[in-house]
Amino acid sequence: MRVMSFYNELNRRDNELKEINRNLSFLSEISQAIHQSTDLDQIYRTILDAARDLKFIDLLVIYLVEGEGDKAEAVLQIHMGYTEEYLKRAIRIPYPVGNTWKVIESGEPIYYEDVSDPSTSVEPAGKELGQRALLSIPMKSGGETIGVVHFSSFEKTFFTQCELNFLLSLGSQVGTAIAKAKMFEEMKQLEKDLKQALIQLSKKNRYETIVSTVTRGVHQSINLQDVLKNAVDTMSRNIDEGTLASVEIEDR
């Protein structure tokens, strides 16, 4: 009996080690894939493809925070396995409703072996999906929680410690990649806004140059033709190429 027990324990440990090695290999592959891109849509596609390969995960959903204070909302970004009814009810979760906001506010993961238990803080739409294990992981950027990723399984009423460790690591990788992509998008938008502002400022400066030069011409000469010629020359030099400049005077 002792020999049999020893071999059973040895076999169990061997299976655990194999699972750990598979998870580490998977984490390495997904980490490389999602960190090679700064395109948020591409990262989302990579995450969904990876989630479909996880045999013990049936549901995945990611929310990002939009807005501030009492008007803040957690807005659904991507999902896998959820019903249309759930998506209609939970596409935007207002502050401070349910488990999603509990994770955002605490900045800590929350794990439920069975979300259908009345004592959980999961939203009604989530509870109505039925009995399942759920792990909710905060996504952070610069110490601030910017969103949440939820992993859950219909087949399991609990995750093993090995599975929990794996999902925590995966959630961390996902959060880091999304935070980086969001920062990159914000930088691109800032660069775009800055360029637009510089263009507007440049136009403003050119217009001011035109007005100033024409004004000086008016005061420097009493000859109408000289003033008009100076005005047209100034506009031609400062207005974009291809633009025709002329001055017309109504004859009364």
Side-chain angles (χ1 to χ4, degrees):
M1 291 293 293
R2 289 183 179 180
V3 173
M4 183 64 71
S5 177
F6 171 78
Y7 279 110
N8 287 339
E9 178 64 17
L10 192 63
N11 187 56
R12 185 185 67 81
R13 290 177 180 271
D14 182 58
N15 289 335
E16 284 184 355
L17 185 59
K18 289 179 180 178
E19 183 179 4
I20 290 172
N21 288 334
R22 285 195 302 269
N23 290 345
L24 288 174
S25 177
F26 183 87
L27 281 174
S28 177
E29 291 177 8
I30 187 65
S31 177
Q32 290 180 20
I34 62 180
H35 286 287
Q36 283 174 352
S37 175
T38 53
D39 180 77
L40 198 53
D41 289 336
Q42 177 60 47
I43 290 173
Y44 284 155
R45 287 194 293 271
T46 301
I47 293 168
L48 287 175
D49 288 342
R52 294 185 183 101
D53 291 335
L54 297 177
K55 304 305 180 184
F56 64 97
I57 292 297
D58 298 307
L59 304 175
L60 175 144
V61 65
I62 289 178
Y63 286 92
L64 290 181
V65 176
E66 291 186 8
E68 297 180 352
D70 294 341
K71 295 183 179 180
E73 292 181 305
V75 182
L76 188 146
Q77 304 298 305
I78 58 171
H79 64 89
M80 181 190 79
Y82 283 88
T83 64
E84 288 298 323
E85 180 61 29
Y86 172 87
L87 298 175
K88 288 178 183 178
R89 296 173 60 183
I91 192 168
R92 305 182 78 91
I93 303 176
Y95 171 84
V97 175
N99 181 62
T100 295
W101 276 101
K102 187 175 181 179
V103 175
I104 293 171
E105 292 197 289
S106 70
E108 298 293 334
I110 294 179
Y111 169 55
Y112 293 118
E113 290 190 352
D114 180 9
V115 300
S116 64
D117 189 309
S119 65
T120 68
S121 59
V122 175
E123 305 90 308
K127 286 185 178 180
E128 290 174 12
L129 291 174
Q131 187 179 34
R132 58 195 168 91
L134 169 67
L135 177 63
S136 303
I137 303 170
M139 298 186 297
K140 298 184 178 183
S141 175
E144 177 185 1
T145 301
I146 62 170
V148 179
V149 53
H150 299 293
F151 297 104
S152 52
S153 170
F154 285 129
E155 299 300 322
K156 288 178 172 286
T157 55
F158 70 93
F159 291 126
T160 66
Q161 189 60 52
C162 186
E163 290 168 342
L164 284 172
N165 291 340
F166 167 76
L167 291 175
L168 286 168
S169 297
L170 178 59
S172 177
Q173 294 284 350
V174 166
T176 300
I178 290 175
K180 184 178 72 172
K182 277 183 59 65
M183 185 178 298
F184 187 77
E185 285 192 347
E186 290 168 359
M187 290 294 292
K188 287 197 299 183
Q189 185 61 47
L190 181 61
E191 182 182 4
K192 182 179 178 182
D193 293 343
L194 181 58
K195 285 182 178 179
Q196 189 61 37
L198 289 173
I199 291 172
Q200 294 300 323
L201 180 60
S202 176
K203 289 180 179 179
K204 180 176 180 292
N205 288 338
R206 289 203 299 271
Y207 296 152
E208 289 177 348
T209 299
I210 294 170
V211 173
S212 176
T213 303
V214 171
T215 301
R216 286 199 304 272
V218 170
H219 290 289
Q220 289 173 359
S221 175
I222 59 174
N223 187 306
L224 180 59
Q225 291 300 318
D226 289 343
V227 172
L228 295 178
K229 182 178 183 304
N230 183 46
V232 171
D233 289 345
T234 300
M235 287 187 288
S236 297
R237 289 194 302 270
N238 289 278
I239 296 177
D240 295 337
E241 293 184 7
T243 302
L244 299 177
S246 65
V247 177
E248 298 182 3
I249 299 178
E250 184 178 356
D251 187 10
R252 296 188 178 183

